[in-house]
Amino acid sequence: MTVNGRRDTQGPLPTGARSPTDRLRLLATVGDEASETDALRCALHHAVAGLGGPGGMVHLRSPWQGAGLRLVLTDGLPPAGTKGWQDLSGKETTVPASAALGRVYVWRPAPAFAEQPPSGRGPAAAGTPDGSRPSASPEDAALGVLATCGMASVPLLAPTAPHGPIGVLSVLTPTGEAPTAEQRAFLEEVARWAAGRLARSLAAPRGANPELRPERPGGSHLRQALKAVRVGAWDWNIQTGELNWDESAMTVLGVDPATFDHRIETWLDLVHPEDLPWVMVDTDEAIRTRSVYGVEYRVRRPDGTSGWAQARGRVILDEDGEPFHMVGTVWDTTQTHAARESVDHALRHMSDGFLAVDADWRITYINIEATRALGYSGEVLGRVLWDIPFARAPALADRCRQAVADHRPVGLDVQSPANQRWYHLRLVPVPGGLTVYLTDVTEKREREAERTTTDRATAERATRIAELTTALAEALTTEDVVEAVAQHVIQPFRATGMVVVAVEGDHKRLVGSVGYTAEDLERILSFPLTTTTPMSDVLTSRAPMFIASVAELKMRYPSLADVPTPGRQAWAFLPLIASGRSTGCCVISFDKPRLLTEEERTLLVALSGLFAQALERARLYDSEHLRAKELQRGLLPRHLPSPPAASAAARYLPSDRRLDVGGDWYDLIPLSAERVALVIGDVMGHGLSEAATMGRLRTAVRTLADLELPPDEILGHLNDLVSDLGDDFYATCLYAVYDPTTHVCVFASAGHIPPVVVHPDHTVHVPEIPTNSPLGAASPPFDTVELAMPEGSLLALFTDGLVEGAERDIDRGRDELARVLAAAVRADGDLSLDQLCDTVVSAMLPTGAQTGQTADDAVLFIARLRRLAAQDIATWQLPQDPLAAGQAREHIRTQLDAWHLDNLVMTTELLASELVSNVIRHAQGPVGLRLLRGRNLVCEVSDGSLTTPHVRRASATDENGRGLQLVSALAQRWGARYTAAGKSIWTEQPLPADPPVAPPVAD
């Protein structure tokens, strides 16, 4: 392909090599970086190739009147053959002129190209006047080759040129046949694309880089340029084409005044061919629109030098209002343009992106990096910024408007949807628009993200260690420690199992596990420490071991290749080191192969150290806790007795969870004559010391109860005991004795809370019992109260820890306890005492019922009181006479016969005879005899004397002193107690067991 006589090395593509659609797609890829000349050249090339012709031409409309069309580009045609096509008059009938004049597609068959315009040379002009034919010239040879070609021309029409075509695109057709409809449509589409590119050049900035907007007239740079260079003047007659330059103008353009012919074509020849198309388009536009003319172009001076020149002018109209003259100035802008090119080059190729938008948010400039960042495949210049996907980032539009409104720079980070890289946008408002600087901050953000990740990992490690430290500090038992570690290690590390093994001598002991079956644990413990296993190596080396897969396990330990590892694919073996020695090993397993990072390994090793210390502490606690529980079991009743008079249940919640011991206690003590003593107490404080004091008091109470002392005297003795312990020892105690034969309960309190009584009709009663002072601070005697207790009544004794708390006082708590008791009994009258205790504790201490820990030691002691049936009681009054012994024996025989206790008649007669005889001899009346049938057979003889019988050792010759020895030998238990009327001596004999029921005999 030739361009103004230069041959393109590529040449036209073979006909049919590409379809018209493919060629149009190729044209669409021509970017804005291509100049107008390059764009026209590309369009002409594809037009010629698409029609399969030998060549083509592009003519542009000349700006002066009557000048017609001027050839600016050729493709495939020799210069010698196109001389006659350089300038075409608007009135000529050539194919290009016809297409321009009619603004339609025109095709003519051969010899359309050979029929050159009148100004050229046609075949008829080839001979001499005498008819002889001179030797053929190159021009003639070219015309001879192309004489058989037709020509198709299509006007270059654009929306911005409504008064006429911009130019004409012509293609030589190889045959006399007209182009097909498809070829014509293709040629018109190519012409439409080329015209659009030329039309856009009217608004595009000029310069070496067509994206740079030229400086406006009157700008500061222009004024500096005017001062630095000479400015020439020119006058152009648009109608005749005559051009006049002054001396300065000719100096700028390098024209010799002696040879200047004043033709406009001379100036066009000076314009660089690549700039000529848009120079002509701009000139034509200025004439048609009567607007200010301004153009900057490259000059090819006759002396071979080149440079830049800028022309400014205005159109002068004639009397008819038609363009007549154009006058203006011209000056050399080579240095200014060089400086501008330097700035443009710097902007265009700088590492940061840069773009500018005008007041309508249309992009007026963009450099390479910004183009890459935007990643927009279409034309960018002239588009509204918001039409580009990059600019649709959240908040970008608001920030741009904010920068313009506030006249202050604004910055933000945006991720490009094209390359997914991050850019920091600095939005700088400028007069008439906004400039945007784009800096790639992807690596910076990655470093910051990496640093943030590291900081987050460090913080997370510290948090995990802190959380585990807190959890381990609250963990008391080894079970608590294993649970805490499992909670803070398994889930965060996405593990699936954990085993903790302790080493005791040469043996291994399982401490705890999560996610392992009993079979798996048995297999783990079956390997002796002398066997080469990961666990034994870790215990020996005291260094952690991390195995990332089963393959690695088999490679490192071939002997374990056949050992199944169901559900486990990776392991972390962590030694547990406490007090400078290996105490065990913690194994954390994963269900998938897992290569732990260095950060994860460091964290696991740190956590294992905390785990080992906590486990050692928990082991000591377990040992101490076991001893404390044994102590508590020894101090409190393991099982409450079930005498006929009462059945009871109790709940004890210590406040010191570490030891599970405290100073509260309770007891149910069987007394003589089927009576029972119910005791509850509270030593101030809680812990081992208070538990020891409680043990002393409980032992003392049982001892004093065996002496058959009344409640007030028992509290007096306990007060002395507590006082002897020291001034800092105090305790409260409530002592009650219930007599099932009289249904009377006697209460005595030393600073303790009164009980709650629930009657059989479900009414609740809180008896008014004098509180008195606590033991250790009281001054005996203690007041007592007697209350009648209906059959089946519930007596609830409790300590202050059950009813008192931070949000309620003792009175409110006691009232609430009464309501809970009544509600529970009404809801289910068949509740067992154990169930009733659980219900009350859950209601009064919901947290303590779940955790087994309260703010203070708490005891709930509930007893159901029963009466002794009247048929099981027999009472007689005896005379104070020796005959009374015989009467007593008679009464006994009769009553025991009625009770079917014939086996006990003889023994009971002897006991009663000895006791009555002793009273008649040593005491005073009245004398009474009573038999009670309860769990034992009780025989009582009472009198009005306060003397206490004593067993004496009688010698072989003594006649007296053997009666009480006989009583002691015959009775299971015997004793004496004081009453309001005197004393009572009692004996107990076990009742015979019921005979087994014989199975029925079959007929």
Side-chain angles (χ1 to χ4, degrees):
M1 180 177 66
T2 61
V3 180
N4 293 342
R6 296 185 302 275
R7 178 72 181 177
D8 190 344
T9 56
Q10 293 181 351
L13 294 175
T15 302
R18 297 184 188 275
S19 67
T21 302
D22 291 339
R23 296 189 181 280
L24 291 176
R25 287 175 181 170
L26 289 175
L27 281 179
T29 62
V30 178
D32 292 334
E33 66 276 3
S35 65
E36 285 80 357
T37 302
D38 290 336
L40 281 177
R41 182 182 295 116
C42 186
L44 178 60
H45 172 80
H46 283 287
V48 171
L51 268 66
M57 301 176 290
V58 173
H59 289 80
L60 292 183
R61 179 177 174 178
S62 299
W64 58 95
Q65 295 182 1
L69 301 173
R70 181 176 178 84
L71 181 66
V72 294
L73 284 176
T74 63
D75 184 274
L77 300 178
T82 59
K83 287 184 178 180
W85 294 90
Q86 292 293 328
D87 293 298
L88 302 179
S89 172
K91 297 180 180 180
E92 291 178 354
T93 59
T94 59
V95 177
S98 299
L101 182 63
R103 304 177 65 179
V104 295
Y105 164 86
V106 175
W107 175 82
R108 289 181 186 170
F113 183 80
E115 295 177 351
Q116 294 192 18
S119 57
R121 294 181 55 200
T128 62
D130 57 2
S132 63
R133 183 175 296 274
S135 59
S137 66
E139 181 180 355
D140 295 335
L143 291 175
V145 173
L146 301 175
T148 60
C149 294
M151 182 180 296
S153 297
V154 60
L156 301 179
L157 303 174
T160 58
H163 301 293
I166 301 174
V168 178
L169 186 149
S170 303
V171 177
L172 274 65
T173 57
T175 63
E177 298 180 0
T180 64
E182 180 182 2
Q183 289 176 326
R184 173 179 174 177
F186 166 71
L187 189 61
E188 290 176 340
E189 188 64 31
V190 172
R192 188 178 297 111
W193 179 88
R197 284 299 298 259
L198 289 175
R200 285 198 299 271
S201 71
L202 296 176
R206 301 304 177 192
N209 185 346
E211 293 172 358
L212 282 178
R213 182 180 296 277
E215 196 167 17
R216 296 180 179 179
S220 60
H221 291 295
L222 179 58
R223 287 196 298 267
Q224 294 175 7
L226 288 173
K227 295 179 181 180
V229 299
R230 296 179 62 182
V231 179
W234 52 270
D235 180 359
W236 173 35
N237 188 322
I238 299 175
Q239 295 180 354
T240 64
E242 181 181 357
L243 178 63
N244 292 311
W245 284 326
D246 66 2
E247 183 179 353
S248 296
M250 286 188 284
T251 302
V252 170
L253 300 175
V255 176
D256 186 358
T259 61
F260 179 47
D261 57 5
H262 301 279
R263 296 174 60 249
I264 188 65
E265 288 82 359
T266 303
W267 172 66
L268 293 176
D269 290 338
L270 296 176
V271 178
H272 194 285
E274 292 188 357
D275 297 345
L276 184 60
W278 54 264
V279 168
M280 294 180 65
V281 170
D282 284 0
T283 305
D284 181 65
E285 182 72 10
I287 295 173
R288 285 190 290 105
T289 61
R290 279 72 164 173
S291 59
V292 175
Y293 174 64
V295 65
E296 186 178 21
Y297 52 90
R298 285 173 288 180
V299 178
R300 297 192 304 173
R301 300 185 180 93
D303 60 1
T305 62
S306 62
W308 282 87
Q310 185 167 353
R312 296 293 184 196
R314 63 186 181 87
V315 177
I316 300 175
L317 305 179
D318 59 13
E319 295 178 353
D320 297 329
E322 294 297 327
F324 177 60
H325 273 260
M326 180 180 287
V327 296
T329 58
V330 62
W331 63 93
D332 192 329
T333 60
T334 303
Q335 293 183 355
T336 304
H337 200 278
R340 191 185 304 161
E341 281 187 335
S342 177
V343 173
D344 174 57
H345 185 274
L347 279 176
R348 186 165 183 78
H349 297 281
M350 68 179 182
S351 59
D352 290 347
F354 176 81
L355 63 89
V357 296
D358 59 17
D360 296 326
W361 304 105
R362 293 187 179 276
I363 299 176
T364 60
Y365 177 79
I366 184 169
N367 70 354
I368 297 175
E369 182 60 26
T371 303
R372 183 182 300 111
L374 266 58
Y376 188 66
S377 58
E379 182 181 354
V380 176
L381 287 178
R383 295 194 66 88
V384 176
L385 181 62
W386 320 127
D387 294 341
I388 299 175
F390 181 93
R392 299 171 191 161
L396 178 56
D398 294 338
R399 302 298 285 275
C400 288
R401 293 185 173 92
Q402 176 189 348
V404 173
D406 298 344
H407 302 288
R408 296 179 58 184
V410 176
L412 76 159
D413 286 359
V414 174
Q415 186 178 24
S416 170
N419 55 17
Q420 302 302 313
R421 298 186 69 82
W422 283 92
Y423 294 87
H424 176 74
L425 273 59
R426 180 170 172 79
L427 314 175
V428 181
V430 295
L434 179 76
T435 58
V436 182
Y437 298 84
L438 300 90
T439 303
D440 192 332
V441 293
T442 305
E443 285 74 15
K444 178 182 177 182
R445 289 176 64 96
E446 289 175 352
R447 290 193 298 269
E448 291 178 352
E450 183 179 352
R451 182 166 58 252
T452 302
T453 302
T454 302
D455 294 343
R456 186 184 299 113
T458 303
E460 182 179 354
R461 179 172 68 251
T463 301
R464 288 186 182 179
I465 293 177
E467 290 176 351
L468 181 58
T469 302
T470 302
L472 292 178
E474 297 174 354
L476 296 178
T477 66
T478 54
E479 182 179 352
D480 295 339
V481 171
V482 172
E483 182 180 352
V485 173
Q487 180 180 355
H488 292 84
V489 173
I490 290 183
Q491 190 275 333
F493 284 89
R494 303 188 303 279
T496 56
M498 184 181 75
V499 177
V500 182
V501 176
V503 176
E504 298 175 350
D506 296 334
H507 303 284
K508 293 185 292 186
R509 177 177 62 86
L510 179 66
V511 175
S513 66
V514 175
Y516 280 77
T517 64
E519 183 181 358
D520 296 335
L521 297 175
E522 183 179 355
R523 185 183 303 112
I524 292 173
L525 297 176
S526 65
F527 291 97
L529 291 176
T530 55
T531 305
T532 302
T533 61
M535 185 177 296
S536 61
D537 288 350
V538 166
L539 291 172
T540 302
S541 64
R542 300 172 60 177
M545 180 183 298
F546 302 95
I547 298 179
S549 63
V550 175
E552 182 181 352
L553 175 67
K554 294 180 179 180
M555 180 186 68
R556 298 175 68 170
Y557 296 92
S559 60
L560 302 179
D562 297 332
V563 177
T565 58
R568 282 169 288 281
Q569 301 292 320
W571 298 264
F573 296 88
L574 308 173
L576 302 178
I577 302 174
S579 302
R581 62 186 183 88
S582 295
T583 60
C585 180
C586 175
V587 182
I588 299 174
S589 58
F590 305 87
D591 60 351
K592 297 178 181 178
R594 176 80 176 275
L595 181 61
L596 295 173
T597 64
E598 191 64 29
E599 181 70 23
E600 291 174 325
R601 297 187 179 192
T602 302
L603 181 56
L604 282 175
V605 172
L607 295 179
S608 68
L610 297 176
F611 185 18
Q613 297 293 333
L615 201 61
E616 181 70 8
R617 187 172 60 252
R619 185 185 64 81
L620 297 176
Y621 166 80
D622 286 343
S623 177
E624 183 180 359
H625 181 67
L626 180 61
R627 290 193 297 269
K629 293 186 68 173
E630 291 176 351
L631 172 64
Q632 189 73 48
R633 283 196 296 267
L635 296 177
L636 291 176
R638 295 188 179 183
H639 304 286
L640 291 173
S642 298
S647 58
R651 291 294 181 270
Y652 171 71
L653 281 76
S655 63
D656 193 343
R657 182 169 174 254
R658 295 170 299 175
L659 297 178
D660 278 355
V661 295
D664 292 7
W665 91 94
Y666 58 91
D667 212 344
L668 177 65
I669 306 172
L671 301 177
S672 63
E674 300 299 343
R675 298 172 306 133
V676 291
L678 299 101
V679 191
I680 190 167
D682 182 3
V683 177
M684 302 301 178
H686 42 263
L688 284 175
S689 177
E690 287 72 15
T693 302
M694 176 268 289
R696 294 180 183 181
L697 294 180
R698 178 171 178 262
T699 302
V701 168
R702 295 191 70 89
T703 302
L704 295 173
D706 286 342
L707 295 177
E708 300 284 357
L709 296 178
D712 56 335
E713 292 188 22
I714 289 180
L715 292 183
H717 288 294
L718 291 178
N719 183 65
D720 295 337
L721 176 60
V722 175
S723 298
D724 291 341
L725 294 176
D727 296 337
D728 296 333
F729 286 85
Y730 299 97
T732 64
C733 182
L734 177 65
Y735 189 92
V737 176
Y738 173 66
D739 190 342
T741 62
T742 62
H743 319 143
V744 173
C745 190
V746 181
F747 294 92
S749 174
H752 204 83
I753 310 171
V756 174
V757 180
V758 182
H759 292 165
D761 60 356
H762 302 160
T763 59
V764 180
H765 175 59
V766 179
E768 295 183 2
I769 299 174
T771 304
N772 300 308
S773 298
L775 301 175
S779 299
F782 291 87
D783 300 320
T784 61
V785 173
E786 293 184 359
L787 296 175
M789 307 294 288
E791 166 72 15
S793 297
L794 292 176
L795 180 62
L797 292 78
F798 50 90
T799 59
D800 58 354
L802 182 69
V803 296
E804 186 180 27
E807 299 180 356
R808 66 187 177 196
D809 55 21
I810 290 181
D811 294 335
R812 266 197 344 135
R814 183 182 57 195
D815 294 341
E816 185 176 350
L817 172 62
R819 287 193 298 270
V820 170
L821 274 171
V825 174
R826 290 192 191 101
D828 189 355
D830 296 332
L831 275 178
S832 67
L833 293 181
D834 284 317
Q835 292 173 330
L836 184 59
C837 284
D838 291 337
T839 302
V840 173
V841 170
S842 297
M844 298 298 295
L845 300 172
T847 304
Q850 296 174 2
T851 64
Q853 182 179 8
T854 60
D856 190 12
D857 299 335
V859 169
L860 175 63
F861 182 28
I862 302 178
R864 178 175 280 116
L865 305 180
R866 294 185 292 267
R867 62 182 297 178
L868 197 61
Q871 62 267 23
D872 292 331
I873 305 173
T875 305
W876 301 274
Q877 292 294 324
L878 299 177
Q880 192 172 0
D881 185 273
L883 296 177
Q887 294 178 9
R889 288 192 294 272
E890 181 64 27
H891 291 319
I892 287 173
R893 282 195 299 272
T894 303
Q895 187 62 47
L896 293 184
D897 181 62
W899 285 348
H900 305 289
L901 296 176
D902 298 335
N903 293 338
L904 299 178
V905 170
M906 183 179 295
T907 305
T908 308
E909 285 182 343
L910 286 175
L911 291 173
S913 178
E914 286 296 331
L915 293 178
V916 170
S917 298
N918 191 56
V919 167
I920 297 300
R921 184 176 303 173
H922 301 290
Q924 61 185 20
V927 180
L929 174 64
R930 186 170 70 163
L931 289 179
L932 302 176
R933 184 178 62 173
R935 57 178 178 172
N936 296 308
L937 179 62
V938 178
C939 178
E940 288 185 342
V941 176
S942 59
D943 60 67
S945 173
L946 296 177
T947 59
T948 303
H950 297 284
V951 178
R952 294 187 304 168
R953 182 176 295 279
S955 63
T957 59
D958 289 339
E959 295 182 0
N960 300 319
R962 294 183 176 86
L964 290 182
Q965 290 183 0
L966 179 62
V967 170
S968 179
L970 294 177
Q972 183 181 29
R973 281 200 322 153
W974 74 280
R977 70 176 182 276
Y978 294 100
T979 64
K983 69 175 184 296
S984 177
I985 302 175
W986 53 270
T987 64
E988 287 185 0
Q989 300 176 81
L991 293 175
D994 295 334
V997 179
V1001 179
D1003 294 339

